[in-house]
Amino acid sequence: MRSPAETRRPQEIPTGWRIVFFGTPEFAVASLRALVEAGENVVGVVTQPDKPAGRGRRTTAPPVKQYSLQLGLPVIQPQKIRNNPEFVALLRRWAPDVIVVVAYGKILPPDILALPPHGCINVHASLLPRYRGAAPIQWALIRGETRTGISVMLMTEEMDAGPVLLQCPLTIEPEETYGELEKRLAELGATCLLRALRGWRAATIQAQPQDTTQVTFAPPITKDMGQIDWSRPAEEVARWIRGLSPNPGAYFTWEGKRVKVYRARAHEKTASPSLGPAGTVVSVEPTLMVACGRGVLELVEVQLEGRRRASGSEVARGLRWRPGQELAETST
């Protein structure tokens, strides 16, 4: 295991503020890595407790913990951070000048927000004040946005409402999925964080209040939101699939088994009686096409429960689907 000093280039001696980093998933690792590799003085990491994961439900450390331990950074994993004086006392011993929060997974209480003299800085994956909340990337895709980005802001007690230090915009690719966009935003977030932190420390950046007349929200995504509603327009269904792919995933059921759709493409085609009702298979070859409330949806990549991912056409042939087959009738 390498120590933090061994991972830094010789000229990158830690300078500046003492930083405590709060983060949990892979999205946050990019920002933590950027801080360490830039020579910032990360004195401690706070992340969520280990949880069961995968098919075997083995207890697994979150990605931020795994990365931090590789560097030899001190890590703590409190079960709760609100009304937890022991945790706050530990933070005080770390004496942070600033706390950086990236996808930690919990709202910081007032006693922690008030602890560092230079505030708590959050990396949020939207151009605030749009898409405040837990799932900004997913909702940007679901609502058909063509542009998103990163906002680095000073945290307040109101969720995602603090003044903004810096924003970095990003164009969304036409068929980009949640998983793909999240990776790009993680890297952009790391770059944007470093610029904002240095500007804040050098007093070359001024925090700007958010325009409260432009606020929109991005509530959490739940698994039960993934069931495909074929009666919706094909373009709308395709956006839902993009926003939920790969997790938690959009799906329909066939003979009691879940069919998860990872990629789909909408085709504008006027609904007609010859297509059948919404949810009817229109074609199997060369691609699997299904009628929607308006237009048809090409199922590009799907996965039948217990099987590997495959093209929609391959799965349809295996299940002996034919044009006219009504998928909607077997959905639960």
Side-chain angles (χ1 to χ4, degrees), residues 249-293:
Y251 66 91
F252 61 95
T253 53
W254 174 257
E255 295 184 344
K257 289 190 175 182
R258 184 166 294 194
V259 182
K260 201 170 177 179
V261 183
Y262 289 93
R263 291 186 185 277
R265 188 175 297 131
H267 295 263
E268 289 299 325
K269 188 173 184 179
T270 304
S272 68
S274 62
L275 294 178
T280 299
V281 173
V282 176
S283 69
V284 173
E285 298 286 359
T287 57
L288 174 61
M289 308 279 274
V290 180
C292 292

Side-chain angles (χ1 to χ4, degrees), residues 106-108 113 122 124 128-129 131-135 153-162 210 215-220:
K106 288 185 177 178
I107 297 174
L108 269 56
L113 290 174
N122 177 236
H124 186 76
L128 294 169
Y131 297 105
R132 291 179 181 177
M153 64 171 181
L154 292 173
M155 299 175 72
T156 63
E157 293 185 40
E158 185 180 356
M159 185 181 64
D160 299 333
Q210 297 185 32
V215 173
T216 62
F217 293 98

Side-chain angles (χ1 to χ4, degrees), residues 14-329:
T15 58
W17 291 342
R18 292 172 60 85
I19 299 171
V20 169
F21 186 89
F22 281 57
T24 301
E26 194 65 39
F27 181 87
V29 172
S31 288
L32 178 57
R33 180 185 296 114
L35 291 172
V36 172
E37 292 183 353
E40 295 290 345
N41 191 15
V42 180
V43 298
V45 174
V46 180
T47 189
Q48 295 283 331
D50 298 356
K51 293 181 179 177
R55 290 189 174 184
R57 306 305 294 165
R58 294 179 57 184
T59 300
T60 304
V64 162
K65 178 184 178 181
Q66 295 179 33
Y67 179 71
S68 299
L69 294 181
Q70 290 175 16
L71 302 182
L73 292 172
V75 176
I76 52 178
Q77 297 174 277
Q79 290 290 337
K80 66 172 187 175
I81 60 174
R82 191 174 294 273
N83 301 320
N84 187 343
E86 292 182 358
F87 171 63
V88 175
L90 197 156
L91 284 181
R92 290 188 189 283
R93 286 199 291 274
W94 278 348
D97 294 301
V98 66
I99 289 176
V100 172
V101 181
V102 185
Y104 172 59
K106 288 185 177 178
I107 297 174
L108 269 56
D111 56 346
I112 296 177
L113 290 174
L115 196 150
H118 298 288
C120 297
I121 293 178
N122 177 236
V123 175
H124 186 76
S126 81
L127 297 176
L128 294 169
R130 296 183 62 77
Y131 297 105
R132 291 179 181 177
I137 307 174
Q138 296 94 324
W139 283 106
L141 291 168
I142 290 169
R143 292 174 181 162
E145 301 286 357
T146 58
R147 184 173 178 268
T148 183
I150 292 291
S151 298
V152 180
M153 64 171 181
L154 292 173
M155 299 175 72
T156 63
E157 293 185 40
E158 185 180 356
M159 185 181 64
D160 299 333
V164 174
L165 296 173
L166 185 69
Q167 290 189 317
C168 300
L170 183 72
T171 299
I172 299 175
E173 299 298 330
E175 295 188 359
E176 197 165 22
T177 65
Y178 160 55
E180 294 163 345
L181 181 57
E182 184 186 43
K183 287 181 181 177
R184 290 207 296 142
L185 284 168
E187 295 302 322
L188 181 64
T191 302
C192 202
L193 169 63
L194 278 180
R195 288 175 54 196
L197 182 65
R198 288 168 175 170
W200 184 235
R201 188 164 56 208
T204 57
I205 288 178
Q206 301 296 318
Q208 301 296 322
Q210 297 185 32
D211 181 353
T212 55
T213 67
Q214 301 298 314
V215 173
T216 62
F217 293 98
I221 296 289
T222 58
K223 288 185 177 180
D224 60 356
M225 296 167 68
Q227 184 160 1
I228 292 173
D229 180 356
W230 300 111
S231 70
R232 308 301 302 172
E235 178 61 35
E236 188 176 310
V237 178
R239 292 203 305 265
W240 267 101
I241 291 168
R242 289 173 61 200
L244 274 62
S245 180
N247 291 305
Y251 66 91
F252 61 95
T253 53
W254 174 257
E255 295 184 344
K257 289 190 175 182
R258 184 166 294 194
V259 182
K260 201 170 177 179
V261 183
Y262 289 93
R263 291 186 185 277
R265 188 175 297 131
H267 295 263
E268 289 299 325
K269 188 173 184 179
T270 304
S272 68
S274 62
L275 294 178
T280 299
V281 173
V282 176
S283 69
V284 173
E285 298 286 359
T287 57
L288 174 61
M289 308 279 274
V290 180
C292 292
R294 185 178 69 240
V296 295
L297 192 71
E298 177 185 355
L299 304 190
V300 178
E301 184 180 12
V302 304
Q303 183 178 30
L304 177 65
E305 187 176 334
R307 304 288 181 86
R308 63 175 176 82
R309 290 194 199 184
S311 71
S313 182
E314 183 178 347
V315 171
R317 288 196 303 271
L319 294 174
R320 301 178 184 274
W321 289 345
R322 297 287 185 271
Q325 181 79 54
E326 295 188 17
L327 302 181
E329 290 186 352

